[in-house]
């Protein structure tokens, strides 16, 4: 449902050329279509004057008709056998585009507002342009009709004023040419002039009746326009309230958008922090992997350490045993030297044994020296 955004009832009145024209007539023989298009037809709800009521279920033909005999234009649309639009275009009508594909105009004679929904914006633009063109043509026809009526009214008034004088002059004085040419008596000529005056008077009476009818029509239109104006004012007040409500809602939405933007900035900062933390975490994971590799190497080395300690203890025990033996040997050497000094002269044959013992002792010393060197190398390696 479309809503009426504004009321186009502004200064509409009937032109004299269109007085007494029926609003429910189908096109007559003198009317010819000059433009046709397809559209969905709507009419304003007469009870609320706000909501649209569909006049056709599907898109129907909407045509401009020109009546050459009356020099008038009408918009006509027929759905099957039902006439749903029969609107005579006057110069004061206005076609309003309320959206990209919807337009409306007010018909004060039908006391309604018609709305058309088109399939495209181009069709709406063509219809609106044609409406403006036909409106200008109707305005031009109305101006010409008013000029003709004013001219005929002036002629009738002048004939009503001037004809009796001329009749009297001709009837009283007469002219030689008239008497010579016509030879009619003055009474007959006066009768002819009186007939002319009666005809002019009857025409003037007819014009007065037409103008009285037009005045009544204008009064009715003014009453309708006043009602429509009041409805328009009420509609404007309603839309003003809705506009203020929408404005307040828009301000609230702007505040919410500002809060959301602030939250988005905070979220972006948190994302940056998370990225930095993720990067630092990856670096720590790499460091942990390196430390785990070093720990694994230390574990492997710790597995070899007991064996090395056992070997070191074994070598230490051997060294201690060698030192003890060396000490014992040194004691023996001292004892033997003492005995040798004492018994040098006694036991000469012991020299050979002593030499042999010294040779053995040197060998042991060499072994001990090698053993010490090996132990020193082992300690250096550890």
């Amino acid at each position: 449902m479309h809503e009426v955004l504004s009321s186009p009832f502004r200064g509409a009145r009937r032109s004299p050329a269109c007085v007494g024209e029926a609003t429910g007539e189908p096109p007559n023989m003198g009317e010819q279509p000059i433009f046709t298009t397809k559209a969905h037809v709507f009419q304003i709800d007469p009870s609320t004057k706000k909501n649209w009521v569909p006049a056709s279920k599907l898109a129907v033909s909407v045509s401009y008709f020109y009546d050459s005999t009356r020099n008038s234009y009408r918009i006509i649309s027929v759905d099957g056998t039902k006439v749903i639009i029969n609107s005579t275009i006057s110069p004061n009508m206005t076609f309003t585009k309320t959206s990209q594909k919807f337009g409306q105009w007010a018909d004060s004679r039908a006391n309604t507002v018609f709305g058309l929904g088109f399939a495209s914006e181009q069709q709406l633009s063509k219809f609106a342009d044609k409406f403006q063109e036909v409106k200008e043509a109707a305005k031009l026809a109305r101006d010409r009709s008013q000029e003709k009526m004013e001219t005929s009214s002036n002629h009738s008034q002048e004939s009503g004023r001037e004809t009796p004088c001329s009749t009297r002059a001709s009837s009283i004085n007469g002219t030689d040419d008239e008497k010579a040419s016509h030879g009619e008596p003055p009474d007959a000529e006066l009768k002819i002039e009186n007939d002319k005056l009666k005809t002019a008077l009857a025409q003037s009476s007819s014009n007065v009746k037409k103008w009285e009818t037009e005045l009544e029509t204008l009064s009715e239109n003014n009453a309708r326009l006043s009602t429509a104006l009041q409805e328009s004012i009420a509609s404007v007040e309603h839309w003003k309230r809705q506009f203020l409500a929408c404005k307040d809602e828009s301000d609230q939405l702007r505040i919410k958008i500002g809060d959301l933007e602030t939250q988005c900035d905070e979220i972006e900062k948190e994302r940056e922090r998370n990225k930095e933390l993720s990067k630092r975490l990856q670096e720590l994971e790499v460091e942990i992997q390196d430390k785990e590799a070093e720990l694994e190497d230390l574990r492997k080395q710790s597995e070899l350490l007991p064996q090395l300690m056992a070997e070191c203890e074994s070598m230490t025990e051997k060294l201690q045993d060698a030192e003890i033996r060396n000490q014992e040997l040194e004691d023996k050497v001292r004892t033997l030297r003492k005995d040798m000094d004492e018994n040098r002269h006694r036991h000469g044959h012991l020299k050979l044994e002593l030499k042999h013992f010294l040779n053995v002792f040197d060998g042991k010393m060499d072994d001990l020296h090698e053993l010490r060197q090996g132990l020193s190398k082992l300690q250096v390696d550890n």
Side-chain angles (χ1 to χ4, degrees):
M1 278 295 179
H2 301 274
E3 290 189 8
V4 180
L5 300 181
S6 61
S7 177
F9 291 94
R10 294 182 180 175
R13 63 173 185 175
R14 294 184 183 180
S15 61
C18 300
V19 174
E21 189 170 293
T23 58
E25 296 178 355
N28 55 42
M29 296 301 293
E31 286 182 311
Q32 297 295 330
I34 58 176
F35 180 83
T36 302
T37 185
K38 288 274 189 178
H40 291 270
V41 180
F42 298 86
Q43 286 188 7
I44 199 68
D45 189 353
S47 59
T48 62
K49 297 292 184 180
K50 293 181 180 180
N51 299 325
W52 289 108
V53 177
S56 63
K57 295 181 179 180
L58 302 174
V60 295
S61 296
V62 181
S63 303
Y64 286 93
F65 279 83
Y66 172 63
D67 189 351
S68 57
T69 58
R70 299 178 181 177
N71 198 17
S72 63
Y73 297 86
R74 287 199 292 173
I75 299 176
I76 297 176
S77 178
V78 180
D79 187 8
T81 58
K82 180 182 178 183
V83 178
I84 55 179
I85 298 179
N86 188 3
S87 177
T88 301
I89 299 175
S90 66
N92 297 311
M93 285 185 177
T94 302
F95 185 81
T96 306
K97 297 180 182 179
T98 58
S99 66
Q100 292 183 350
K101 298 181 181 180
F102 192 84
Q104 65 184 43
W105 79 96
D107 189 344
S108 59
R109 297 178 184 178
N111 193 21
T112 187
V113 180
F114 294 102
L116 297 179
F118 296 89
S120 64
E121 187 176 357
Q122 290 77 12
Q123 292 181 358
L124 174 60
S125 298
K126 289 181 180 179
F127 189 89
D129 294 340
K130 195 65 180 178
F131 193 98
Q132 185 65 26
E133 179 184 342
V134 170
K135 174 182 170 182
E136 295 296 332
K139 182 178 180 181
L140 183 61
R142 184 192 67 177
D143 295 340
R144 290 178 179 175
S145 177
Q146 288 179 349
E147 290 177 0
K148 289 180 180 179
M149 292 186 69
E150 290 176 357
T151 303
S152 62
S153 177
N154 292 332
H155 283 313
S156 63
Q157 292 176 359
E158 290 175 359
S159 63
R161 292 174 182 175
E162 296 175 359
T163 304
C165 298
S166 61
T167 304
R168 290 174 184 174
S170 61
S171 61
I172 296 173
N173 297 324
T175 59
D176 295 335
D177 294 337
E178 288 177 353
K179 292 177 181 179
S181 61
H182 297 288
E184 293 181 356
D187 294 336
E189 186 176 355
L190 183 61
K191 185 178 181 180
I192 292 172
E193 294 296 334
N194 288 333
D195 292 336
K196 290 181 180 180
L197 287 173
K198 289 180 181 179
T199 303
L201 182 60
Q203 185 177 1
S204 299
S205 300
S206 176
N207 290 334
V208 169
K209 290 180 180 180
K210 288 182 180 180
W211 285 114
E212 288 177 352
T213 304
E214 182 66 20
L215 182 60
E216 292 176 358
T217 303
L218 291 175
S219 299
E220 293 176 359
N221 287 339
N222 288 333
R224 292 176 182 175
L225 289 173
S226 299
T227 304
L229 181 60
Q230 293 176 357
E231 293 174 355
S232 299
I233 293 172
S235 178
V236 167
E237 292 297 329
H238 172 70
W239 286 112
K240 281 182 179 178
R241 290 193 296 270
Q242 287 193 354
F243 173 75
L244 292 175
C246 291
K247 186 177 180 182
D248 294 337
E249 185 178 358
S250 177
D251 293 338
Q252 294 176 0
L253 289 175
R254 286 177 183 174
I255 294 172
K256 290 182 180 179
I257 289 171
D259 295 338
L260 290 175
E261 289 178 351
T262 304
Q263 293 178 3
C264 289
D265 293 337
E266 293 178 356
I267 290 172
E268 290 296 330
K269 291 179 181 178
E270 290 295 331
R271 286 180 179 175
E272 293 296 331
R273 292 175 186 171
N274 290 334
K275 288 181 181 179
E276 293 177 357
L277 291 175
S278 299
K279 186 177 180 180
R280 179 59 181 166
L281 182 61
Q282 292 177 356
E283 293 176 354
L284 291 175
E285 288 178 353
V286 173
E287 291 180 1
I288 289 172
Q289 291 177 357
D290 295 339
K291 295 296 182 183
E292 287 179 352
E294 292 179 0
L295 184 60
E296 188 67 25
D297 293 338
L298 291 174
R299 285 177 182 174
K300 291 180 180 180
Q301 291 179 5
S302 65
E303 291 176 357
L304 296 176
L305 186 60
Q307 183 179 357
L308 295 174
M309 291 295 292
E311 292 180 356
C312 183
E313 289 177 356
S314 175
M315 294 299 292
T316 303
E317 290 177 355
K318 289 181 180 180
L319 181 59
Q320 290 177 356
D321 293 337
E323 289 178 351
I324 292 170
R325 290 177 184 177
N326 188 19
Q327 187 67 31
E328 290 176 353
L329 289 175
E330 287 179 353
D331 293 339
K332 286 181 181 181
V333 168
R334 284 194 294 269
T335 303
L336 289 174
R337 283 181 179 176
K338 185 178 181 181
D339 292 341
M340 186 179 60
D341 290 337
E342 291 178 354
N343 298 318
R344 181 179 297 173
H345 298 287
R346 296 177 186 176
H347 304 288
H349 66 279
L350 291 176
K351 290 182 179 179
L352 296 174
E353 292 180 2
L354 182 59
K355 289 180 180 180
H356 178 71
F357 180 77
L358 289 173
N359 291 330
V360 173
F361 180 75
D362 291 335
K364 293 295 182 178
M365 290 297 292
D366 292 334
D367 292 337
L368 181 59
H369 182 67
E370 291 177 359
L371 180 60
R372 286 180 177 176
Q373 289 180 351
L375 184 60
S376 298
K377 290 180 179 180
L378 182 60
Q379 289 178 350
V380 171
D381 294 335
N382 290 331

